[in-house]
Each structure stands twice: as structure tokens, then as C-alpha cells.
Amino acid sequence: MPPPAAAVAGQTSDSSAEPAAPRAVYFDGRTNRKRSVSLGLAGGVEIIENDTIVDVWSFGHVRRADGPPNVMRLSCVAALPLARLEIADAATQAAIAANCLALDAGGRGQVKAGKIVFWSLAAVCSILGMAYFAIPYAADRLAPYIPFSFEQRLGNAFDKQIRGMLDGKECDQPAGRAAFAVLVDKIRSAGEIGMPIEPHVLSSKMENALALPGGHFYLLDGLLQKARGPDELAGILAHELGHVQHRDGMRRLIQTGGTSFLFGLLFGDVTGAGAVIFVGRSMLDASHSRDAERHADAFAVDVMHKLGRSPLPSGNLLFRITGEQAKKSISVLSSHPLTEERLDTMKKADRVATGPELLSPAHWTALKNVCK
């Protein structure tokens, strides 16, 4: 095939002339090999290699593609999808721009960019949908079938992490521990909890109690000191043991672990420390679903009734700790029902005490001093 009649930067058809210096890097779309070529502009962008025209891109088919600074990268809507030209010479870039009038019109490159944006948004929406709908649904159905021995191993693994986050040591004053065991045993018996429970009192100043998968159960001294009597504390403990009975911790762990994995895919940290911290922090927060919280409240009410005591004191304790939440919380985003709602439920379930005191005054004093 004869050389082109007109070439960029003075290339002539005289076969005795010196060959033009390469004006572009060419990728043919079949391999990733760089090919140094010169260009001709006779009726189209002629790609010339070793004095042979290897391809001609019609001026109307040439499109600008994304490229590095100061380099014009071109594609052709009629060529292979991965075919590219890269031009660094400013004079050649100007000649291309003057001849290729549709250079910045919509083309394959723009269509691909649009598809990338569309599928990226679709992937994000899919991950969010799975995190908020599919994973909780799966967790509800998987948790009952997980062997309790496996759940215990998971609880043991998280025990040290939770203790580290709480920054509290085990309270082991003997008389206080004995009083705590008496109270927990009464709640456990009334709730007909058959699985093993490992109760702990920690010296943390947080006003909270929480349960981990596998029966690990924690009363924090901050909550203990806030309670004014055994009935106030017993209702809160019964609520947390309701989570143990319903295996809500296992559900939460499946949900949180699955969610952290999905967001790891999204943000690039699938197996790193971020996922581990996310799971551990979520277990510490113990933010079960609202339905799980209501079921645990119902369990606590039932336990207190079986013990012949009223659940109302525990509602009063919650209200003293949190205060009014309706004016300062966005209820739709809260994992727990508002304290006012829970207090109202316990008021409706209020009964005159018919059963014996849960702890004697001596036992209650010992429990209050368990961390001293």
C-alpha cells in the first residue's frame, strides 16, 4: 500500500525522504503492546507504522478519551473498544482538533463513563439494601439454628474486647458477689432460662447493663449505684436476660458482622481492623432492633410478675437515667423505644407486690458495695 499523500508535520510521499518521527503511541485494542506510530491526515487519521498504514480512523469517528495531563488520548467509535491513540506533541494535537470536529461529542467513552456511574450507584444501593433489609431478615432466621456451643466461643472471644472498651475491672467483693448471684438466680428461674449464664459486675461508671452472645452478662457499677432498690435493678437485669433467652446477641452479631463485611466491600476494608472494631463497638452499644427491645421488655414484665413484683420501678430507674427523650431524640432513628414509651408500658403492667422482697436489706447493701 502506498504511503499517504499528506502526513502530519511534513511527511511526504517521497519514499527517499527520511521517515517521520513517531507522533503517537498506538494500542490496537487486541494486546497491551505500545506501538510507536506516525500520523497522517488525508481523509482521516491515518495510523502509520514502518511506512505502512495499519488503520484509518474517520475524522467523524474520533473521540477524546480520558488521559494523563498534556496527553491527548483518542478512541474511535468504529475501532475495537480498547483501541487508543496517545499524542503528546502539541502541534499534532492541534491538527487533530482542527480536523476531528466531533472530538468532544458523545461516544463510546462517554457511554462507558455513564454506565460506570450507573452500575456504581446500583452497587451502592444494593449493598445498602442488603445491610438494612436482607441481613436483618437472614439474622432472624439463622440465629436459632446456630449451636449454643459455637455462640459461647464467640462470646468468649468478645469478652476481653468488651472489658477493654469498658475500662472496668471485675468486682469481686465476696458478699456483694453472693447477693448478685441470688438476684440473678431468681430472675433466671422465673424466666425459665435454661442456657448457661456467666454474670459479671464491672467497675465501669457507665449506667448500663448488657449481654453478649453465649450467656456473658454484665452489670456496670454506674447503673448499680443509680438504683434505689432491688426491684429497680431486677427489671433492668430481666430485660437483658430476655436478650439472652431470645438469643438477640447472636442475631445482632450476624447482622453487624454481615453489615461490616458489606461496608468493607464498599470502602475497601473487608478483613481489616475496621471491621473488627465496628463489630465490637456495636456489641458494646447493644442496639438491638426495636422489636427485640420490646420483646425483652415484655420478658422483663413477665418475670417481675412471676416474682410477685411490679415492673414499674425499673421504668422509673430508666427515666431517671435518660430523662425525657421525645424532645431530644429522633425516634425513627433510635434502636430502643423511647423511655417514655417503655415507662408507659410498665405503668400499665404495674401491680401491687405480692411476692417476697428480692433481696434482704443486708444483701442489697452488700450488692451496692460489691465494687468497693
Side-chain angles (χ1 to χ4, degrees):
M1 179 180 295
V8 174
Q11 184 183 354
T12 71
S13 58
D14 184 358
S15 61
S16 64
E18 289 295 324
R23 299 296 182 185
V25 173
Y26 174 53
F27 297 88
D28 61 14
R30 296 183 179 87
T31 71
N32 62 355
R33 183 170 67 91
K34 287 185 177 182
R35 298 164 65 176
S36 296
V37 298
S38 57
L39 302 178
L41 298 177
V45 178
E46 298 172 333
I47 302 170
I48 306 164
E49 185 178 36
N50 299 326
D51 294 328
T52 300
I53 297 177
V54 295
D55 202 354
V56 178
W57 290 2
S58 171
F59 291 140
H61 289 166
V62 176
R63 300 289 186 270
R64 191 190 306 270
D66 291 335
N70 302 321
V71 173
M72 176 183 280
R73 179 174 288 167
L74 304 176
S75 65
C76 177
V77 297
L80 292 174
L82 297 180
R84 292 290 186 272
L85 277 171
E86 294 183 352
I87 303 166
D89 179 67
T92 307
Q93 291 179 8
I96 292 291
N99 284 276
C100 302
L101 301 182
L103 190 64
D104 294 307
R108 177 184 288 128
Q110 287 76 11
V111 172
K112 283 187 174 182
K115 286 184 177 179
I116 290 172
V117 171
F118 171 79
W119 287 113
S120 297
L121 290 174
V124 171
C125 292
S126 176
I127 287 175
L128 292 176
M130 290 184 66
Y132 287 101
F133 298 104
I135 289 180
Y137 179 86
D140 285 343
R141 279 144 188 83
L142 286 174
Y145 296 99
I146 294 177
F148 188 73
S149 58
F150 178 75
E151 186 177 334
Q152 283 182 307
R153 291 199 295 272
L154 289 175
N156 292 338
F158 280 109
D159 177 61
K160 291 182 180 179
Q161 186 181 6
I162 294 299
R163 289 171 184 264
M165 289 179 174
L166 292 172
D167 193 28
K169 66 177 182 178
E170 184 98 13
C171 298
D172 54 4
Q173 200 277 337
R177 289 287 305 173
F180 183 52
V182 169
L183 184 59
V184 171
D185 285 343
K186 288 183 178 181
I187 296 170
R188 177 179 176 179
S189 177
E192 300 178 359
I193 300 174
M195 60 189 66
I197 294 175
E198 295 186 36
H200 310 275
V201 182
L202 301 183
S203 60
S204 171
K205 296 184 182 298
M206 291 178 61
E207 298 165 346
N208 204 354
L210 64 150
L212 287 184
H216 285 278
F217 171 69
Y218 306 87
L219 168 63
L220 308 186
D221 190 50
L223 176 65
L224 174 59
Q225 298 309 316
K226 200 79 172 181
R228 295 174 180 171
D231 286 8
E232 286 192 347
L233 186 62
I236 304 298
L237 301 185
H239 172 96
E240 293 302 327
L241 290 176
H243 286 311
V244 173
Q245 177 77 337
H246 301 147
R247 303 188 73 178
D248 291 330
M250 194 68 241
R251 286 183 176 85
R252 179 64 180 169
L253 186 58
I254 295 171
Q255 181 178 342
T256 305
T259 301
S260 67
F261 176 77
L262 287 176
F263 280 94
L265 289 178
L266 188 61
F267 296 112
D269 180 18
V270 178
T271 59
V276 176
I277 293 172
F278 182 66
V279 173
R281 175 59 63 182
S282 295
M283 294 308 300
L284 176 58
D285 292 341
S287 52
H288 305 283
S289 71
R290 283 192 173 196
D291 284 343
E293 294 297 336
R294 290 190 177 101
H295 292 158
D297 277 345
F299 180 86
V301 168
D302 184 60
V303 165
M304 295 304 287
H305 284 170
K306 288 180 178 178
L307 291 170
R309 312 300 295 181
S310 171
L312 181 56
S314 61
N316 293 331
L317 173 58
L318 282 173
F319 192 78
R320 285 204 310 276
I321 291 173
T322 66
E324 289 189 44
Q325 292 185 309
K327 296 180 180 179
K328 60 185 179 182
S329 298
I330 303 176
S331 61
V332 72
L333 298 180
S334 176
S335 60
H336 286 64
L338 295 181
T339 299
E340 293 91 323
E341 177 187 334
R342 302 174 73 181
L343 180 59
D344 185 61
T345 298
M346 294 173 190
K347 283 181 179 178
K348 292 176 181 178
D350 186 25
R351 292 184 182 179
V352 176
T354 58
E357 291 284 344
L358 298 178
L359 289 178
S360 68
H363 271 153
W364 176 243
T365 300
L367 178 54
K368 292 280 281 189
N369 293 320
V370 66
C371 292
K372 296 181 180 179

